[in-house]
């Protein structure tokens, strides 16, 4: 059994220590900001404003790190995220500490470290961000040759921060208003005097190169990912879209504390998205979220461009700068006029580009149904189904495979088959009659519950088309069998007439001619010859009756259906009770013969196997069907008995006319054979 990865006991306290410190620094920093003077060296040095908003970033990141570490997921990623949060919390706290404790004449203890951390060690923030990107979402570097390259990038990040730590503060970087005892450069190297800016520039170059390498690993990891890992990478992509959207909102609608909002979004949203991706990636359908966020970002971008264009034209027209109130009015007017219709159209465009036509569910299903109605060719129908699925979901490959008789398969394909596919069964009334093959990877291959419902509707259309294909093939084969059977029957009749009746009649003619020639000189021989001819004629008549009976039982024409069945029961010595409607002239010939054969076979089975004391025969017309029912009070049919030739022939005779036969044994004993035969021949 796999052990629980969640921390316990002392390990739990260790895991929570860093996130707890990030959160506890927030009230301390806020108190320092409240007690800080309105002006002074501390305010000048920590020119970024109050420190508590930056501690908020660290506190949120600490909470996110705790969520990851407590769930036991990807420990390395969780610790890097915790370090990222601690960085921001300490950075903000250092700013609050400097603002409150640095004056022209005095400084609080540890001020040198606070200044060093704020102005120097903060350079490693970029390194921590790059580290998060290098190990997300697995907690490990990319495998293969990317692993040593990632370690090289980590080394470059370390050197980048180290360059900032050891470079002397020169020129504008020098702070001259510090009280005695405060060292601005506790880690700088004197040998680098006069080269501080160059060393810092080199460090920045190393950091930028390593950071872009971390972005490259994100792209490579995304391209290699599939399934759940691909969804996790999409959460990171979504966070990037959110950052762009917030920046655009800030450009269109200037907000108070906009700098803090932008920094909070850029700092917290990506780690938050990474945390969701690791802990609970199915929190929301990420493809839907991506589409909606992309639409919003596109709308905001267009609004920004429209605002810039309108404001530029107004400035040129008025030949003067617009007031702030006028600018706000123009921005609001552009937003009101463009946002609604623009959002709707861009939403449709983006969703179509990202996800295909799946949002237009009715149009997709209705369009496919219309195409199937106007197409008779089976291959074209299946091609229409494949094309409809490909268009609806925007996937590059769809294959519809349908089982045909005798093990054959009809395959229709759109696009080139990718390396990874998934197969969905096509069922019709509970029976699998084919399969639908789709790509297994890619954004468009991810299906929400609504997408699955749409796919189900299309698959049902495919099932109908596939079943229609099978039925069309069965009809064609049935026609071929009918034609073959008809020609075989004609050949048999011709053979019987030619090989049987022909020679027999010719022989009779020769014998009659011989009798005529001998009647005058030997009357006795002529009489004997005529007696032989008479016997041969009787044999020929019997053959004719047999041939006619095979084509249609003569009793049906002589006695009708009821009389013919009564006659058969008398022959079988069965006590038959008949209940019959008036069927005179109402039954087609094929139905009458089928009813006679089915009922006759049922009566024969009763006589042979049922040991019945009574038999009931019912003939009735219900709607457009003839009901034939034979019920006996015999021993019934054993449940484990397999259907023999006789029972199978009952079903086959009814099926030939599109009818059905049921054979049951009621609880009170006996057997009931019930057949329904359509009276109307299909057009």
């Amino acid at each position: 059994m796999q052990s629980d990865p969640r921390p316990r006991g002392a390990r739990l306290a260790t895991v929570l220590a860093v996130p707890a410190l990030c959160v506890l620094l927030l009230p301390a920093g806020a108190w320092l900001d409240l007690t800080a003077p309105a002006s002074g060296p501390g305010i000048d040095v920590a020119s970024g404003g109050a420190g508590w908003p930056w501690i908020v970033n660290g506190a949120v990141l600490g909470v996110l790190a705790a969520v990851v570490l407590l769930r036991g997921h990807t420990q390395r990623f969780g610790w890097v995220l915790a370090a990222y949060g601690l960085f921001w919390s300490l950075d903000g706290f250092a700013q609050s500490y400097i603002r409150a404790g640095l004056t022209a004449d005095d400084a609080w203890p540890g001020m040198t470290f606070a200044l060093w951390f704020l102005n120097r060690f903060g350079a490693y923030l970029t390194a921590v961000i790059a580290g998060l990107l290098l190990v997300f979402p697995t907690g490990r570097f990319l495998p293969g040759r990317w692993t040593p390259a990632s370690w090289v990038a980590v080394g470059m990040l370390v050197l980048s921060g180290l360059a900032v730590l050891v470079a002397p503060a020169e020129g504008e970087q020098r702070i001259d208003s510090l009280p005695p005892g405060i060292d601005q450069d506790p880690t700088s190297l004197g040998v680098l005097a006069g080269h501080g800016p160059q060393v810092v520039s080199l460090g920045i170059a190393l950091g930028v190169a390593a950071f872009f390498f971390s972005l490259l690993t994100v792209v490579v990891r995304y391209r290699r990912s599939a399934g759940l890992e691909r969804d996790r990478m999409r959460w990171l992509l979504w966070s990037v879209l959110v950052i762009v959207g917030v920046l655009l909102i800030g450009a269109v609608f200037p907000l108070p504390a906009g700098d803090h909002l932008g920094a909070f979004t850029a700092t917290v949203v990506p780690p938050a998205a990474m945390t969701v991706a690791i802990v609970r990636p199915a929190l929301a359908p990420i493809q839907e979220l991506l589409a909606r966020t992309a639409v919003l970002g596109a709308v905001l971008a267009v609004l920004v461009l429209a605002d810039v264009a309108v404001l530029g034209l107004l400035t040129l027209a008025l030949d003067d700068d617009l007031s702030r109130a006028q600018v706000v009015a123009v921005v609001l007017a552009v937003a009101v006029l463009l946002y609604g219709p623009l959002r709707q159209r861009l939403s449709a465009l983006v969703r179509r580009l990202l996800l295909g036509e799946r949002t237009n569910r009715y149009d997709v299903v209705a369009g496919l149904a219309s195409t199937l109605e106007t197409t008779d060719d089976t291959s074209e129908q299946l091609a229409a189904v494949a094309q409809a699925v490909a268009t609806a979901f925007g996937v590059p490959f769809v294959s519809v495979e349908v089982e045909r008789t005798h093990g054959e398969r009809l395959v229709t394909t759109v696009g080139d088959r990718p390396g990874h596919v998934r197969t969905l069964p096509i069922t019709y009334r509970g029976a699998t009659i084919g399969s639908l093959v789709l790509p297994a990877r890619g954004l468009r291959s991810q299906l929400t519950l609504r997408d699955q419902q749409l796919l189900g509707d299309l698959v049902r259309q495919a099932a109908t088309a596939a079943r229609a294909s099978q039925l069309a093939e069965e009809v064609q084969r049935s026609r071929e069998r009918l034609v073959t059977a008809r020609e075989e029957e004609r050949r048999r009749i011709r053979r019987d007439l030619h090989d049987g009746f022909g020679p027999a009649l010719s022989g009779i003619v020769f014998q009659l001619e011989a009798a005529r020639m001998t009647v005058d000189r030997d009357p006795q021989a002529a009489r004997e010859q005529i007696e032989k001819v008479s016997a041969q004629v009787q044999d020929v008549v019997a053959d004719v009756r047999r041939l006619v009976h095979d084509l249609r039982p003569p009793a049906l024409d002589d006695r009708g259906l009821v009389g013919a069945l009564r006659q058969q029961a008398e022959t079988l010595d069965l006590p038959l009770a008949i209940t019959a409607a008036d069927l005179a002239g109402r039954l087609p010939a094929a139905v009458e013969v089928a009813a006679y054969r089915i009922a006759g076979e049922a009566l024969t089975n009763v006589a042979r196997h049922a040991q019945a004391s009574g038999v009931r025969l019912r003939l009735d017309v219900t709607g457009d069907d003839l009901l034939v029912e034979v019920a006996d009070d015999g021993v019934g049919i054993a449940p484990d008995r397999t259907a023999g030739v006789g029972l199978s022939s009952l079903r086959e005779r009814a099926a030939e006319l599109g009818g059905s036969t049921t054979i049951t044994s009621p609880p009170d004993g006996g057997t009931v054979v019930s057949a329904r035969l359509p009276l109307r021949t299909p057009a």
Side-chain angles (χ1 to χ4, degrees):
M1 181 180 295
Q2 188 174 6
S3 61
D4 190 351
R6 291 177 294 184
R8 306 285 184 184
R11 182 175 176 81
L12 177 61
T14 304
V15 165
L16 293 179
V18 174
L21 180 59
C22 295
V23 175
L24 292 176
L25 286 174
L26 179 58
W31 179 79
L32 291 175
D33 288 326
L34 290 175
T35 60
S39 61
I43 302 299
D44 296 335
V45 172
S47 58
W52 69 265
W54 312 107
I55 305 178
V56 169
N57 295 350
V60 175
L61 293 171
V63 171
L64 295 175
V67 171
V68 175
L69 293 172
L70 288 176
R71 293 292 296 270
H73 291 287
T74 320
Q75 292 288 329
R76 186 178 300 176
F77 174 83
W79 284 117
V80 175
L81 184 57
Y84 189 36
L86 184 61
F87 246 120
W88 274 106
S89 295
L90 291 176
D91 187 82
F93 184 79
Q95 185 156 324
S96 299
Y97 190 81
I98 293 170
R99 286 169 59 87
L102 182 62
T103 64
D105 302 323
D106 194 11
W108 288 356
M111 190 58 66
T112 294
F113 177 79
L115 283 172
W116 174 81
F117 190 91
L118 181 65
N119 295 328
R120 298 288 183 162
F121 198 74
Y124 277 114
L125 278 174
T126 303
V128 180
I129 297 173
L132 282 174
L133 297 177
L134 286 171
V135 300
F136 175 77
T138 61
R140 298 181 298 275
F141 295 141
L142 274 173
R145 60 184 181 180
W146 290 93
T147 297
S150 298
W151 281 113
V152 171
V154 171
M156 294 171 63
L157 292 169
V158 173
L159 292 176
S160 173
L162 184 63
V164 177
L165 293 180
V166 301
E170 299 172 346
E172 296 180 354
Q173 296 180 351
R174 294 294 304 174
I175 304 174
D176 298 326
S177 57
L178 295 176
I182 304 301
D183 185 4
Q184 183 184 358
D185 294 331
T187 57
S188 63
L189 299 179
V191 296
L192 299 177
H195 303 287
Q198 291 81 3
V199 174
V200 171
S201 298
L202 176 61
I204 293 174
L206 290 174
V208 170
F211 184 79
F212 275 101
F213 175 81
S214 67
L215 294 178
L216 178 62
T217 63
V218 171
V219 175
V220 173
R221 197 185 293 268
Y222 181 85
R223 292 177 62 87
R224 290 183 177 182
S225 62
L228 181 59
E229 186 174 345
R230 175 64 65 89
D231 284 342
R232 287 172 170 162
M233 300 301 296
R234 290 187 183 120
W235 277 102
L236 181 59
L237 175 61
W238 171 81
S239 69
V240 174
L241 294 180
V242 170
I243 294 173
V244 174
V246 171
L247 294 177
L248 291 174
I249 291 175
V252 178
F253 303 104
L255 301 173
D259 293 340
H260 288 298
L261 177 61
F264 178 83
T265 304
T267 303
V268 173
V269 171
M274 293 178 182
T275 301
V276 172
I278 291 175
V279 176
R280 195 176 177 185
L283 179 64
I286 184 60
Q287 60 267 39
E288 288 284 335
L289 199 58
L290 273 173
R292 294 181 183 274
T293 307
V295 169
L296 182 59
V299 170
L300 291 175
V302 174
L303 288 178
V304 170
L305 294 176
D307 285 330
V308 171
V310 172
L311 290 173
L313 292 175
L314 288 176
T315 301
L316 291 175
L318 298 176
D319 196 24
D320 193 10
D321 292 334
L322 296 175
S323 66
R324 184 178 181 86
Q326 291 172 326
V327 171
V328 173
V330 170
V331 170
L332 291 177
V334 172
V336 170
L337 293 176
L338 293 182
Y339 180 77
L342 187 64
R343 178 184 178 278
Q344 184 177 4
R345 295 183 180 181
L346 282 178
S347 177
L349 176 61
V350 171
R351 291 179 67 83
R352 188 180 303 113
L353 293 176
L354 291 178
L355 304 174
E357 298 287 347
R358 66 186 72 186
T359 55
N360 302 322
R361 180 172 180 174
Y362 174 80
D363 293 341
V364 172
V365 177
L368 177 58
S370 176
T371 302
L372 294 178
E373 288 178 358
T374 57
T375 305
D376 295 329
D377 183 74
T378 302
S379 299
E380 292 181 3
Q381 286 182 334
L382 296 181
V385 172
Q387 187 61 55
V389 174
T391 302
F393 296 97
V395 291
F397 170 79
V398 175
S399 178
V400 180
E401 303 176 0
V402 176
E403 302 288 346
R404 307 187 76 175
T405 56
H406 304 293
E408 300 177 359
R409 295 175 66 89
L410 181 61
V411 181
T412 301
T413 302
V414 174
D416 298 327
R417 188 184 185 97
H420 298 83
V421 296
R422 57 176 171 172
T423 302
L424 304 175
I426 299 177
T427 59
Y428 186 84
R429 295 183 178 178
T432 300
I433 59 175
S435 59
L436 181 68
V437 185
L438 297 173
R441 294 182 177 180
L443 172 64
R444 296 174 177 177
S445 300
Q446 304 300 315
L447 303 180
T448 64
L449 179 60
R450 183 176 179 83
D451 295 338
Q452 294 175 11
Q453 292 174 348
L454 173 59
L455 184 60
D457 292 339
L458 296 178
V459 167
R460 279 190 286 274
Q461 298 275 9
T464 303
R467 183 55 180 162
S469 168
Q470 292 180 343
L471 292 176
E473 183 181 7
E474 292 176 5
V475 168
Q476 179 60 34
R477 292 185 180 276
S478 296
R479 289 176 177 174
E480 295 174 359
R481 286 196 298 268
L482 287 174
V483 171
T484 302
R486 182 189 65 191
E487 296 304 321
E488 289 292 336
E489 186 66 13
R490 286 180 175 179
R491 182 166 61 180
R492 184 185 68 80
I493 295 174
R494 178 185 180 280
R495 183 174 60 249
D496 289 345
L497 293 176
H498 181 273
D499 297 341
F501 297 147
L505 293 176
S506 297
I508 290 173
V509 170
F510 290 140
Q511 292 184 44
L512 288 175
E513 182 65 22
R516 185 184 65 80
M517 296 175 64
T518 60
V519 68
D520 292 334
R521 51 186 175 83
D522 192 352
Q524 182 61 31
R527 282 196 298 271
E528 293 176 356
Q529 189 72 23
I530 292 174
E531 289 177 357
K532 293 180 181 180
V533 169
S534 177
Q536 290 182 358
V537 169
Q538 290 177 2
D539 292 339
V540 170
V541 170
D543 289 340
V544 171
R545 287 178 176 174
R546 178 186 54 78
L547 181 61
V548 170
H549 187 274
D550 290 341
L551 296 176
R552 175 179 170 85
L556 290 176
D557 296 323
D558 298 339
R559 299 170 176 265
L561 178 59
V562 175
L565 291 173
R566 192 184 300 277
Q567 182 185 39
Q568 185 169 2
E570 293 174 354
T571 303
L572 296 171
D573 194 20
L574 286 176
L576 180 63
I578 299 179
T579 302
D582 184 10
L583 304 177
R586 301 179 60 182
L587 302 181
V591 174
E592 191 175 33
V593 172
Y596 176 78
R597 300 293 190 193
I598 291 172
E601 180 66 27
L603 293 175
T604 301
N605 288 335
V606 172
R608 291 177 177 175
H609 311 293
Q611 304 175 21
S613 59
V615 184
R616 301 185 307 277
L617 171 63
R618 178 187 169 200
L619 299 171
D620 195 9
V621 176
T622 58
D624 294 331
D625 296 334
L626 172 65
L627 175 63
V628 181
E629 185 177 277
V630 177
D632 65 74
D633 57 0
V635 297
I637 301 177
D640 57 348
R641 179 183 174 185
T642 58
V645 176
L647 297 180
S648 299
S649 67
L650 297 180
R651 298 187 177 95
E652 292 174 358
R653 290 187 184 277
E656 289 175 352
L657 299 178
S660 61
T661 300
T662 59
I663 304 171
T664 59
S665 293
D668 56 349
T671 303
V672 178
V673 177
S674 180
R676 285 188 174 273
L677 305 175
L679 296 177
R680 294 184 180 180
T681 304

